[in-house]
Amino acid sequence: MSWSLGREDDVITEWNRSDGYATVRVRERSDGGFVVRLDVMEQAEDESTYERERFDDREAALDRAAAWRDERDLDD
């Protein structure tokens, strides 16, 4: 299943998986750091999970978000 950009603004960038059961979000913190969150819902074909990681810079956060999307991409 493919991912699409669902939201992108000054604070949050979020991707949604085409089945609607998973999201990956990068959010800027008030201290200038970044949080990356993976949320795969219980109804998803793959295993349900929630993960959260913190990074000091946006590039590292975006790299982690890309890795999670690659790991959680489903075959149609």
Side-chain angles (χ1 to χ4, degrees), residues 15-56:
W15 296 266
N16 303 302
R17 196 168 63 186
S18 60
D19 68 353
Y21 292 123
T23 60
V24 174
R25 175 183 283 194
V26 174
R27 177 180 57 85
E28 184 171 5
R29 296 169 41 94
S30 60
D31 65 5
F34 294 85
V35 172
V36 184
R37 187 256 303 145
L38 166 69
D39 189 5
V40 181
M41 296 167 225
E42 290 182 19
Q43 300 90 340
E45 293 178 26
D46 52 337
E47 183 179 320
S48 170
T49 191
Y50 182 89
E51 294 186 46
R52 182 181 177 277
E53 293 183 24
R54 188 172 167 194
F55 296 89
D56 292 331

Side-chain angles (χ1 to χ4, degrees), residues 1-26:
M1 310 233 159
S2 62
W3 292 85
S4 61
L5 188 60
R7 176 179 174 180
E8 187 169 34
D9 56 40
D10 293 342
V11 178
I12 293 174
T13 302
E14 184 173 72
W15 296 266
N16 303 302
R17 196 168 63 186
S18 60
D19 68 353
Y21 292 123
T23 60
V24 174
R25 175 183 283 194
V26 174

